[in-house]
Amino acid sequence: MRAKVNIDIANTEKLVGKGVKDSKKTMSQLIGVFKDEEAFKAADQDQVVYEVQAYMPVEEGKKGGLFWGNSMVYPGKVGTEYHMTRGHFHSNLDTGEYYWCLKGEGALIMMDLDRNCWYEEMKPGTLHYIPGNVSHRVANTGYEPLFFNACWPSDAGHDYASIEKEGFAARLFEVDGKPQLIKE
Amino acid sequence: MRAKVNIDIANTEKLVGKGVKDSKKTMSQLIGVFKDEEAFKAADQDQVVYEVQAYMPVEEGKKGGLFWGNSMVYPGKVGTEYHMTRGHFHSNLDTGEYYWCLKGEGALIMMDLDRNCWYEEMKPGTLHYIPGNVSHRVANTGYEPLFFNACWPSDAGHDYASIEKEGFAARLFEVDGKPQLIKE
């Protein structure tokens, strides 16, 4: 009768329960992600840039199922570029995803297959539909941890390799104290 | 750059934005749903029992897309049976769904194709995966509005007719001040 999984909203903001997988990315794991290589080298390589929890109650690849994510991106910049996630397309390209923001300030940066880039501001309560065929990454543009949740189809998969190789066509920098998306 | 849709978490708890559809069910629209017909007849027929908002950014029936829901079930009982939603299977049966609770106390009542029934307690922070081939309805077991969100595949569809015809195999009543699932 108890729910199998809970988010401890009031305290830790962590997803707790059987089958929840945790992962985190430290700066050292994000080599090649940020523009300013000198600033990257000078950064604390052990700092956690973001954490992701995933609840996957059906097998990966199953059609018609859904997975659920709980993410935290910590504030900071590498040079003037905001801390952000690696970003990915779905392997099964034409599958959508929702992100919604619970706390903090950020930006959901998206890029379509023609390499058009845009972003949506994230703040508590914003809901974002990421259409199929659109890669996505999240930057923290504020001064506190950015906390958001996600839901995606269990047959979506993750293609990180395309972004690792080709990057996004634009990057989000702080310019005059504000986020600005600048083409590569 | 702005998110197209927001939930006004701090105030109205409503989903606001282009493409959000609102619906509500008054008691009069729930004829046949509750066990106690006399208590049903005596109830205020114009009271709103629940409200549902849906954000459907792709066409219904599309594979790989997702829809998003924002629901409120108001507290109360018909006889000793808690206010609840009509309940449904998905038309595309083997598709899952998430419900997660933001406020209030409730129960997610589920039934599989063999008419086995069970429920999971809902309270702020609980996350519920409804597997494919499982019908689902939500009851408010508390004294304040029960506020929850949902995410489901855009090709899931809704089959209300099966439940209208066959009902659930069990109902949630208040017994000695507590919810109890009782077989029909």
Side-chain angles (χ1 to χ4, degrees):
Chain A
M1 294 192 347
R2 267 163 199 266
K4 288 170 195 143
V5 177
N6 297 268
I7 290 198
D8 183 3
I9 296 176
N11 299 298
T12 63
E13 293 162 350
K14 293 288 177 195
L15 204 53
V16 178
K18 204 180 160 184
V20 174
K21 291 174 192 170
D22 294 291
S23 69
K24 58 179 71 173
K25 291 285 170 212
T26 57
M27 190 61 81
S28 64
Q29 295 172 287
L30 297 173
I31 188 164
V33 168
F34 297 98
K35 177 80 171 181
D36 185 335
E37 289 177 19
E38 289 306 310
F40 177 80
K41 278 182 204 157
D44 171 5
Q45 296 296 304
D46 295 328
Q47 69 180 296
V48 176
V49 179
Y50 61 94
E51 295 183 45
V52 178
Q53 295 187 292
Y55 178 49
M56 302 166 86
V58 298
E59 67 270 36
E60 194 150 18
K62 179 180 165 55
K63 278 190 208 306
L66 297 170
F67 294 150
W68 217 85
N70 186 45
S71 294
M72 194 79 79
V73 183
Y74 292 96
K77 294 192 288 285
V78 175
T80 59
E81 191 173 14
Y82 298 103
H83 278 185
M84 61 179 177
T85 64
R86 287 189 293 164
H88 61 275
F89 282 101
H90 291 161
S91 308
N92 187 355
L93 265 170
D94 193 12
T95 50
E97 181 162 1
Y98 281 104
Y99 280 0
W100 59 102
C101 181
L102 288 95
K103 280 191 184 173
E105 284 177 76
L108 166 59
I109 306 167
M110 292 179 271
M111 180 176 73
D112 66 20
L113 294 171
D114 296 325
R115 299 186 61 76
N116 298 303
C117 279
W118 69 99
Y119 77 95
E120 293 182 359
E121 289 172 9
M122 300 174 79
K123 55 188 176 182
T126 57
L127 174 67
H128 308 268
Y129 185 65
I130 301 158
N133 304 304
V134 167
S135 62
H136 38 288
R137 73 169 16 149
V138 169
N140 185 332
T141 59
Y143 298 94
E144 56 172 333
L146 172 65
F147 172 34
F148 67 99
N149 284 167
C151 186
W152 68 98
S154 52
D155 64 342
H158 290 89
D159 166 18
Y160 291 103
S162 302
I163 297 301
E164 253 173 47
K165 208 185 290 180
E166 312 278 351
F168 272 64
R171 293 174 174 276
L172 198 67
F173 296 100
E174 186 178 84
V175 180
D176 298 332
K178 285 184 199 163
Q180 194 174 322
L181 196 66
I182 298 178
K183 282 191 185 171
E184 287 275 272
Chain B
M1 292 191 351
R2 267 165 199 264
K4 288 171 196 142
V5 178
N6 297 269
I7 290 197
D8 182 4
I9 296 176
N11 299 299
T12 63
E13 293 161 352
K14 294 288 178 194
L15 204 53
V16 178
K18 205 180 160 183
V20 174
K21 290 174 193 171
D22 294 292
S23 69
K24 57 179 72 175
K25 290 284 170 211
T26 57
M27 189 62 81
S28 64
Q29 293 172 287
L30 297 172
I31 188 163
V33 168
F34 297 97
K35 178 81 169 179
D36 185 336
E37 290 177 19
E38 289 307 310
F40 178 80
K41 277 182 205 155
D44 172 5
Q45 297 295 305
D46 295 328
Q47 69 180 296
V48 175
V49 179
Y50 61 95
E51 296 183 46
V52 179
Q53 295 188 292
Y55 177 49
M56 302 166 86
V58 298
E59 67 271 34
E60 194 150 18
K62 180 180 165 53
K63 278 190 207 307
L66 297 169
F67 295 150
W68 217 85
N70 185 44
S71 294
M72 194 80 78
V73 183
Y74 292 97
K77 294 192 287 285
V78 175
T80 59
E81 191 174 13
Y82 297 103
H83 278 184
M84 63 180 175
T85 63
R86 288 189 293 164
H88 60 275
F89 282 102
H90 290 161
S91 307
N92 187 356
L93 266 169
D94 192 12
T95 49
E97 181 162 0
Y98 282 104
Y99 280 180
W100 60 100
C101 181
L102 287 94
K103 281 192 184 172
E105 284 177 77
L108 166 60
I109 306 167
M110 291 179 272
M111 181 176 73
D112 66 20
L113 293 172
D114 296 324
R115 300 187 60 76
N116 299 303
C117 279
W118 69 98
Y119 76 95
E120 292 182 0
E121 289 172 9
M122 299 174 80
K123 55 187 176 181
T126 58
L127 173 67
H128 309 266
Y129 184 65
I130 302 158
N133 303 304
V134 167
S135 63
H136 38 287
R137 72 170 15 150
V138 169
N140 185 332
T141 60
Y143 299 94
E144 55 171 334
L146 172 65
F147 172 35
F148 67 98
N149 285 167
C151 186
W152 68 99
S154 52
D155 64 343
H158 292 88
D159 166 18
Y160 291 102
S162 303
I163 297 300
E164 253 171 50
K165 209 185 289 178
E166 312 276 352
F168 273 62
R171 291 173 174 278
L172 197 68
F173 295 101
E174 186 178 84
V175 180
D176 298 332
K178 284 184 201 164
Q180 194 174 321
L181 196 66
I182 298 178
K183 281 191 185 169
E184 286 276 90

